[in-house]
Amino acid sequence: MVFSTMFSSTLNLAISSTTNSSRRRVSNTSSRRGVNSMRIRASSTEKGESKEKDQDDKSSFNPFGFVTDNPSSRSAIQLPETPADDGNVGQMIDRIQDKGKEYGSYVKSGKLRWFVRETGSAKSRRGTIVFLHGAPTQSFSYRVVMSQLSDLGFHCYAPDWIGFGFSDKPQPGYGFDYTEKEFHDALDKLLEVLGVESPFFLVVQGFLVGSYGLTWALKNSSKISKLAILNTPLTSSSPLPGLFQQLKIPLFGEFQCQNAIIAERFIEAGSPYVLKNEKADVYRLPYLASSGPGFAILAAARKANFKGTFNEIAEGFATNRWDKPILLAWGLSDKYLPQSVAEEFQNGNPQNIKLKLIEGAGHMPQEDWPEKVIDAFRVFF
């Protein structure tokens, strides 16, 4: 009953078989269409199907709905007519494992190994920018922005948080518990290893670890000269996406966190656009390669006090509490966080917060419209 309330049925399965000798067509008495290939194909419900069919779909539980209701992942699960020709998961990982590591290298900090993207040099004349991503994504989203900003004279770092992307993903309870304090402490040590000199520019976006980037800033304001915020929950009125609510549900959270397309699905649900397959591959890879990222986000979500953190951010950046310049670059087509969240946050400190609305961009403006983000950052920084 719990599962049926969580997933809407969006999938039809057509299963057909072919005999080796007669290639006989097998028809289903409930369907007029016959098929004669050895294929199990998942496809989304078409708009043109009958209302009666839609009602049948809604009333029945479809265990594959969570896999196939986002466009970019459908092609990834199509099986060929000859299944033996299809690659297994290991072969799929091998095909995409070298994707998405532009400008990146591994950096050891204590017992943890971070994956950090870097563009520009320490001698860059315009200063250093540190980019922090949100959950359940990775620093890959900043690749275009940081590349072009380095051409303008900035030195850029964009790490994958521990538990995300290509960084280490310790088992919860064995060296890392995925609490806010541990994320803060780990970031402090990484910045020290990287030799990032204060004050520097900070860019933050997204939920959960994105919010922790902002609470870190509140505790380390002397290290920051200017702060840029892309779509991030900033007030107590900020809605919490269903993903994070589901992760907190016992048993169901364990099931949901092992969804290999959790990141790409989250990105597409918050944006007016569909990811291209080559981009979706990168966001999918960590979750496809091991169970580690899933259990990491599960642990982090269950230890998070979302509403408490939202309140802390709203109060901490208010007038008389924060005096550094803030650029709030906001994607207007964000399906998670409405424009009213940005406006409410700005009203809390209008002298220091400048709101820049980015038309056409969704929850991740750096992925949807990096050119507009770069223009805004160039003027601000």
Side-chain angles (χ1 to χ4, degrees):
M1 194 56 129
V2 173
F3 293 116
S4 63
T5 60
M6 293 295 167
F7 297 122
S8 62
S9 182
T10 59
L11 175 77
N12 298 320
L13 292 179
I15 304 177
S16 61
S17 61
T18 304
T19 61
N20 293 331
S21 58
S22 62
R23 298 186 61 82
R24 179 179 55 189
R25 174 173 296 180
V26 179
S27 62
N28 189 307
T29 56
S30 62
S31 173
R32 294 182 179 179
R33 292 181 294 181
V35 287
N36 60 358
S37 61
M38 189 62 176
R39 172 178 294 193
I40 300 176
R41 179 167 58 185
S43 61
S44 62
T45 304
E46 298 295 334
K47 293 181 180 179
E49 292 183 350
S50 67
K51 293 182 179 179
E52 181 179 355
K53 179 70 173 177
D54 290 339
Q55 288 290 55
D56 290 343
D57 285 346
K58 292 178 181 178
S59 63
S60 60
F61 167 62
N62 167 27
F64 301 103
F66 74 97
V67 175
T68 57
D69 59 359
N70 71 314
S72 68
S73 63
R74 290 178 189 143
S75 62
I77 61 172
Q78 302 300 315
L79 300 184
E81 294 191 9
T82 306
D85 293 340
D86 191 26
N88 57 29
V89 173
Q91 290 172 313
M92 183 184 300
I93 294 173
D94 184 66
R95 177 178 59 83
I96 65 177
Q97 66 178 348
D98 294 327
K99 287 186 176 182
K101 295 187 177 181
E102 294 92 334
Y103 318 117
S105 62
Y106 288 97
V107 177
K108 194 71 180 290
S109 174
K111 295 181 179 180
L112 299 172
R113 189 178 70 153
W114 294 70
F115 181 79
V116 182
R117 300 174 197 273
E118 179 183 9
T119 60
S121 71
K123 297 180 180 180
S124 296
R125 67 185 187 280
R126 301 187 68 178
T128 298
I129 307 175
V130 176
F131 297 84
L132 300 177
H133 68 87
T137 63
Q138 53 173 289
S139 63
F140 177 71
S141 64
Y142 288 118
R143 67 200 178 280
V144 177
V145 173
M146 62 188 299
S147 172
Q148 295 195 27
L149 285 177
S150 66
D151 292 339
L152 296 174
F154 293 97
H155 184 206
C156 303
Y157 286 111
D160 287 345
W161 284 102
I162 295 299
F164 296 84
F166 300 108
S167 289
D168 276 353
K169 305 162 187 71
Q171 184 178 347
Y174 292 85
F176 200 81
D177 276 337
Y178 298 95
T179 63
E180 179 181 13
K181 183 180 185 305
E182 286 183 307
F183 280 115
H184 285 177
D185 291 346
L187 180 59
D188 281 329
K189 293 176 182 177
L190 175 66
L191 293 176
E192 183 179 350
V193 170
L194 293 175
V196 176
E197 296 182 0
S198 301
F200 58 88
F201 304 126
L202 180 65
V203 177
V204 176
Q205 186 274 328
F207 285 89
L208 192 51
V209 286
S211 296
Y212 291 165
L214 291 179
T215 55
W216 181 90
L218 290 174
K219 293 176 173 64
N220 296 273
S221 60
S222 63
K223 297 181 180 180
I224 299 169
S225 56
K226 290 184 178 182
L227 172 64
I229 304 174
L230 302 172
N231 297 51
T232 301
L234 300 170
T235 65
S236 58
S237 63
S238 300
L240 185 64
L243 168 64
F244 301 107
Q245 298 178 44
Q246 294 165 2
L247 288 172
K248 284 183 171 289
I249 301 174
L251 183 60
F252 183 75
E254 280 78 359
F255 174 76
Q256 175 72 334
C257 78
Q258 294 306 311
N259 179 355
I261 61 167
I262 188 173
E264 65 193 85
R265 185 187 188 208
F266 183 83
I267 294 169
E268 290 184 344
S271 167
Y273 309 106
V274 174
L275 288 171
K276 293 182 178 179
N277 285 333
E278 56 268 23
K279 296 179 183 178
D281 281 344
V282 178
Y283 288 111
R284 182 188 308 134
L285 179 57
Y287 296 93
L288 187 66
S290 80
S291 62
F295 287 122
I297 192 174
L298 179 70
R302 288 184 172 175
K303 289 179 170 65
N305 177 2
F306 286 99
K307 288 300 180 181
T309 301
F310 299 167
N311 285 329
E312 180 184 353
I313 290 170
E315 294 172 2
F317 288 104
T319 301
N320 300 326
R321 298 285 298 276
W322 182 271
D323 59 1
K324 306 290 180 67
I326 296 177
L327 172 66
L328 187 54
W330 201 264
L332 284 175
S333 298
D334 189 339
K335 298 180 182 179
Y336 296 127
L337 298 169
Q339 180 181 340
S340 59
V341 170
E343 293 172 342
E344 181 183 349
F345 182 72
Q346 183 193 29
N347 290 337
N349 192 348
Q351 291 184 338
N352 292 302
I353 301 176
K354 177 183 178 181
L355 177 59
K356 172 68 174 179
L357 301 177
I358 302 179
E359 294 185 6
H363 181 62
M364 292 174 61
Q366 72 271 33
E367 183 68 77
D368 292 343
W369 276 97
E371 298 83 4
K372 294 183 179 181
V373 172
I374 292 164
D375 288 342
F377 284 0
R378 183 175 63 243
V379 174
F380 178 64
F381 290 137

